Amino acid sequence: MGSMSFPSKEMMQLASFEARLGEDLSLQDIEEIEQQIVGLNQTTDKTRGIAVGLFNRLEAKKPALIDRGIVKMEQASDPVSKIKLLTPLIGYLEPSAVDEKLEAIKLEASLCDQKIQDAVQKQLEHLEFAQQKPVIYEVEGLRAEMERIAQKIEESGTLDALKLLNPVQLGEVRRAIARIA
Amino acid sequence: MSPEGASHAIEEYMKALRKQASIAESFYYGRIGEGIEGLLELPEDVRLKIDQLIWDAAGGEAIDPTDPEAGELIADAILFSLEERMGLHAS
């Protein structure tokens, strides 16, 4: 009797990431897929090879998305929207390019009314604060992870995905339940 | 706990973390009134922990929150508590 081999769990997951390459991915989507690939148990040379290939293809998509993001930012109608659109691009740009764009936004804001100037100032503070205190970026990373877990819970109709939380996070979720009950 | 309830609670947990981050930001930029208002909305155990962290960092001295250095000290205490609530300090 012949034996039949099934693709491993890692292979299945890599195949699902491969399928997503055809989608209209955002930079955030790419980062999330990359994180999930890193989190995989790459036990064989074959899975490692596929993972590296996927990484390369994901990386190759980034420059066009960054360029598209900059065009969208520059076409935004007001300085507050421009800062919001620039924020997710900052990690991909040279610091001098970021400074240049922020200066241009500040200059544009200085020509607007006080309300816009105040809003721009607040957005700039958000950016500076996140650069000074990197835990702010970690909160954003956790938010993306939590959204995935919440989605798994909703799709499966079970609480199994809560096992992905650490004990502190689980305690906080229980606290939130008690608060909203 | 229902799946819908758990999903909603996760969303609320994330909102609470972001709110705490914005409270730290208020103190960092000297917006004291806004910061204190936010602190009062935090769960009591979290607030007490932040008080303790500030007390320890200030060496038991009274601090003036309008002083920029004290503002950063308070912001750091709030962020340390935030990291704890994310489970980053769990051993």
Side-chain angles (χ1 to χ4, degrees):
Chain A
M1 205 166 118
S3 65
M4 210 159 89
S5 71
F6 291 95
S8 65
K9 191 179 164 196
E10 291 80 38
M11 285 295 278
M12 299 279 280
Q13 282 171 310
L14 287 167
S16 76
F17 297 143
E18 171 102 34
R20 290 199 64 194
L21 282 173
E23 294 174 14
D24 188 15
L25 298 172
S26 66
L27 284 166
Q28 193 189 356
D29 293 332
I30 290 178
E31 296 288 345
E32 283 175 21
I33 295 173
E34 285 179 343
Q35 278 175 22
Q36 289 178 58
I37 294 173
V38 170
L40 280 183
N41 229 348
Q42 292 157 30
T43 45
T44 66
D45 286 346
K46 192 174 177 187
T47 50
R48 275 192 290 273
I50 294 172
V52 169
L54 275 173
F55 257 114
N56 291 339
R57 289 164 69 190
L58 287 166
E59 283 300 312
K61 281 179 172 282
K62 287 182 182 174
L65 288 170
I66 295 165
D67 288 346
R68 201 196 301 171
I70 290 171
V71 170
K72 198 173 167 191
M73 184 273 293
E74 284 173 347
Q75 287 175 344
S77 58
D78 64 275
V80 180
S81 306
K82 284 184 180 177
I83 291 184
K84 284 183 180 166
L85 290 167
L86 178 62
T87 304
L89 301 173
I90 284 177
Y92 303 99
L93 300 172
E94 290 295 324
S96 58
V98 175
D99 289 345
E100 196 180 294
K101 290 183 194 321
L102 287 175
E103 281 307 314
I105 293 171
K106 275 190 221 170
L107 179 66
E108 187 182 336
S110 69
L111 305 172
C112 299
D113 64 33
Q114 192 59 45
K115 208 170 150 188
I116 302 260
Q117 287 183 39
D118 291 346
V120 167
Q121 182 58 33
K122 199 148 191 175
Q123 288 300 323
L124 289 172
E125 285 181 0
H126 283 320
L127 272 183
E128 187 195 45
F129 189 61
Q131 276 162 336
Q132 296 292 325
K133 310 287 178 189
V135 66
I136 302 303
Y137 289 122
E138 291 190 49
V139 173
E140 289 310 307
L142 182 64
R143 185 182 60 81
E145 197 181 321
M146 288 292 166
E147 275 176 6
R148 275 198 301 275
I149 292 173
Q151 196 182 351
K152 274 187 190 166
I153 290 172
E154 283 177 20
E155 284 171 2
S156 67
T158 73
L159 299 174
D160 289 350
L162 285 179
K163 289 179 192 153
L164 299 168
L165 303 181
N166 68 37
V168 175
Q169 292 164 348
L170 195 56
E172 288 287 345
V173 170
R174 289 208 171 101
R175 183 210 292 268
I177 287 173
R179 203 171 49 241
I180 58 187
Chain B
M1 189 191 313
S2 70
E4 294 76 19
S7 171
H8 184 41
I10 287 174
E11 200 180 307
E12 289 299 309
Y13 168 40
M14 290 319 300
K15 272 192 205 163
L17 293 185
R18 295 178 100 184
K19 171 77 185 164
Q20 189 162 334
S22 90
I23 296 167
E25 188 181 313
S26 299
F27 279 104
Y28 186 82
Y29 286 107
R31 299 193 296 266
I32 311 301
E34 195 179 288
I36 289 174
E37 201 178 307
L39 268 185
L40 293 173
E41 289 171 14
L42 291 176
E44 192 181 6
D45 61 320
V46 175
R47 209 166 55 232
L48 289 173
K49 182 64 199 277
I50 292 169
D51 280 348
Q52 185 63 48
L53 287 166
I54 294 169
W55 177 261
D56 292 344
E61 299 282 327
I63 57 166
D64 171 9
T66 59
D67 168 16
E69 271 185 32
E72 182 159 13
L73 183 149
I74 296 170
D76 285 342
I78 295 169
L79 292 179
F80 188 89
S81 150
L82 176 74
E83 289 171 358
E84 283 187 331
R85 295 184 74 187
M86 291 166 72
L88 297 181
H89 296 177
S91 54

